[in-house]
């Protein structure tokens, strides 16, 4: 788990209705009498000028003259106080709603319905009931309106609003579909229908329909589109959110917030270059917005432009000095730039605030402080602060089980679980034997590690007798009495330094494949990781390695990057981590970026060269370097004595940042090839 940063989305100055768009039950310019047909007049119930007065009052209300409408309606009632005209009562209900008095509107609309059960009277009654919080009663009234006038799109739309508030999104979507069929050109109905689809889980249909109707949207639809985009983002649909933010930019090309939100959506999709363009344009349109500068700083950091990222985040802090989220992001870039004292001061300032310390920003500050302290060698405090990650990660297995404090358990077992990537799991399996001396364990790790775990050496039989691997999908055993994340083991066990190393993953030896040295190559990590671009290397930059004569290269790359190798490589078969380990066992050297491959080869004790970025992960910091001089690269690692690093030594521009480490690897390979030819390679790799 890398350092934690957080991106933000800006709002729009648009007042939205309860259902996401500015949609209210309408008022009528002409009173409608026939509840089934929506036309004609019931003269038996009307005062001589009642319908006309009601119609004129509704026109005034529609124009914003609430007082004038009320005066006209009062006059109509005063003219014939003994008569109660349904249109006038309904008009007064509409005025009461407009005045923010749904309680009065309910009574007036109810009296109008008692005199004449017209569909639009039921709509007003239903909307007033909903505004007063009587949602089920509102649904019933609006259902009557739909039954009385099934051709009234407004009745279907109002019913959908009540159904949505009740969480009955499939029914709401059906009602809005019916409304759209009656008014196919109504864009507000399209937006409401899309909202119901998103709540109901049909994100793709909603996004596709919005994109298809893009040419019909006007600038005043931007607020509703923003609401839908936010809804999609909150539901883990960044591609759909980006498509809608793209429409908002088209509608509001000079709006800085629109461009900033589009940039944030692009960043969520790891489309970093596009995000940078959008956010720089947003900053040019509205330079004084802290959120824009914050997001721009994060994008620049992800791209590897560290000094520029620092500048943007400093601007964000100046614009919003009290924003703890921006302060933590600013501290993160300082840490990346090796300005640890300044970063630590910012983290600790956030944690000194007792309110912030309990919130998400406090957890981010505490976790990041933990990584900084570990990188400095303050292990005890660093491991302790690293525990804050439990407040940042999704819920893990055994949420109702007590946390293990590291004490010996006379009965019951500990659930030991992997929280993050495969590399973290492999690294901290090193602590499993120490854990088993205190407690029996149920081990919950990714399935791709299960067969590999069977290769762990077990000289005293503890793994075989005290560790059970939980099969995928199996429930938690009843005897689990405590839980602990793998990364928490150093803290819970009170181990302030790295335990002595011996290879702890030992697959069956591969057959001898000949005298030609075999070199495994992995150049990219998981592209879903937001900052993967900084640790991964564009494949073409590794092309010079092919110039080293007499080597046989094997691809250890998985995922999309495997399809575009830097040069001709033997493609290894896809499989679980045991299959990969067996391939590694048959290699003479592994060259990799900071991925699980580095941990796997290191845990096996195989020679591995790590190409590492500037300001890299805490576990590769200088405090974990071996004291012995390296044979090939910059420094060895106390985590894995067979691993040597080839580091970036300064925050260079990303176009040139890998040039020096790759040149150093190329030179080392030439020397290593000579060593392979003249003596046992194992003596020259550790």
């Amino acid at each position: 788990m890398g350092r934690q940063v957080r991106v933000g989305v800006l709002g729009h100055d648009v007042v939205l209705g309860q259902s996401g768009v500015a949609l209210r039950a309408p008022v009528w310019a002409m009173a409608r009498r026939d509840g089934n047909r929506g036309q004609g007049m019931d003269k038996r119930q009307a005062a001589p000028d009642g319908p006309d007065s009601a119609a004129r009052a509704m026109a005034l209300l529609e124009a914003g003259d609430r007082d004038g409408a009320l005066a006209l309606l009062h006059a109509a009632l005063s003219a014939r106080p003994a008569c109660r005209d349904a249109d006038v009562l309904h008009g007064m209900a509409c005025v009461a709603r407009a005045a923010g008095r749904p309680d009065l509107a309910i009574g007036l609309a109810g009296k109008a319905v008692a005199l004449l059960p017209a569909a639009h009277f039921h709509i007003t009654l239903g909307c007033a009931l909903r505004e007063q919080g009587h949602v089920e009663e509102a649904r019933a009234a609006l259902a009557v309106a739909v039954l009385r006038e099934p051709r009234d799109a407004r009745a279907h739309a109002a019913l959908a609003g009540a159904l949505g508030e009740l969480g009955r999104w499939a029914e709401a979507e059906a009602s809005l579909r019916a409304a759209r069929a009656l008014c196919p050109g109504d864009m507000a109905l399209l937006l409401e229908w899309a909202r119901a689809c998103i709540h109901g889980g049909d994100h793709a249909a909603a996004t596709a329909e919005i994109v298809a109707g893009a040419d019909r949207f006007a600038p005043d639809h931007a607020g509703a589109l923003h609401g839908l985009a936010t809804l999609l983002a909150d539901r883990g649909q960044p591609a759909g959110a980006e498509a809608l933010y793209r429409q908002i930019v088209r509608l509001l090309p000079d709006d800085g917030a629109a461009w900033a939100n589009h940039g944030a959506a692009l960043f969520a999709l790891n489309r970093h270059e596009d995000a940078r363009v959008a956010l720089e344009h947003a900053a040019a349109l509205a330079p004084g917005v802290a959120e824009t500068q914050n997001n721009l700083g994060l994008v620049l950091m992800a791209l590897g432009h560290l000094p520029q990222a620092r500048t943007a985040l400093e601007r964000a802090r100046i614009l919003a000095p009290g924003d703890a989220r921006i302060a933590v992001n600013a501290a993160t870039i300082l840490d990346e730039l090796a300005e640890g004292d300044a970063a630590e001061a910012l983290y600790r300032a956030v944690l000194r605030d007792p309110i912030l310390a309990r919130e998400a920003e406090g957890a981010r500050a505490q976790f990041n402080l933990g990584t900084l302290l570990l990188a400095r060698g303050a292990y005890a405090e660093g491991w302790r602060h690293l525990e804050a990650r439990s407040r940042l990660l999704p819920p893990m297995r055994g949420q109702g089980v007590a946390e293990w404090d590291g004490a010996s358990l006379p009965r019951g077992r500990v659930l030991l679980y992997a929280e993050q990537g495969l590399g973290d799991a492999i690294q901290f399996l090193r602590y499993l034997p120490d854990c088993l001396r205190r407690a029996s364990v149920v081990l919950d790790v990714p399935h791709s590690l299960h067969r590999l775990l069977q290769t762990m050496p077990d000289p005293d039989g503890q793994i075989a007798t005290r560790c059970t691997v939980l099969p995928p999908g199996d429930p938690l055993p009843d005897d689990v009495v405590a839980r602990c994340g793998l990364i928490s083991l150093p803290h819970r066990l009170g181990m302030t330094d790295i335990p002595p190393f011996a290879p702890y993953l030992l697959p069956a030896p591969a057959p001898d494949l000949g005298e030609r040295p075999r070199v495994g190559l992995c150049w990219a990590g998981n592209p879903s990781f937001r900052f993967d671009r900084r640790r991964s290397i564009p494949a073409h930059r590794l092309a010079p390695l092919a110039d080293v004569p007499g080597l046989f290269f094997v691809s250890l790359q998985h995922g999309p990057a495997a399809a575009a190798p830097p040069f001709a490589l033997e493609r290894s078969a896809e499989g679980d981590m045991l299959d990969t380990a067996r391939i590694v066992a048959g290699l003479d050297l592994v060259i990799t970026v900071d991925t699980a491959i580095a941990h796997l080869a290191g845990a096996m004790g195989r020679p591995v060269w790590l190409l590492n970025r500037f300001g890299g992960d805490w576990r590769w910091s200088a405090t974990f370097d071996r004291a012995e001089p390296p044979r090939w690269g910059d420094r060895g690692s106390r985590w894995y004595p067979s691993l040597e690093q080839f580091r970036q030594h300064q925050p260079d521009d990303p176009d040139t940042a890998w040039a020096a480490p790759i040149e150093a690897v190329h030179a080392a390979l030439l020397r290593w090839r000579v060593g392979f030819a003249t003596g046992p390679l194992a003596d020259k790799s550790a």
Side-chain angles (χ1 to χ4, degrees), residues 151-177:
R151 295 172 300 171
D152 191 336
R154 296 164 297 187
H156 291 283
L159 175 59
L163 289 166
E165 196 162 340
L166 290 167
R168 295 161 61 173
W169 289 108
E171 296 171 74
E173 185 275 331
S175 290
L176 286 162
R177 195 170 355 107

Side-chain angles (χ1 to χ4, degrees), residues 401-419:
V401 179
E403 291 291 334
W404 184 45
D405 62 3
S408 296
L409 287 182
R411 64 182 63 86
R413 291 187 288 176
V414 173
L415 172 67
L416 191 61
Y417 56 90
E419 305 158 74

Side-chain angles (χ1 to χ4, degrees), residues 129-130 133-143 162-163 166 168:
L129 284 165
R130 183 182 169 196
H134 306 301
V135 185
E136 176 54 37
E137 292 83 352
R139 183 208 59 78
L142 293 165
L163 289 166
L166 290 167
R168 295 161 61 173

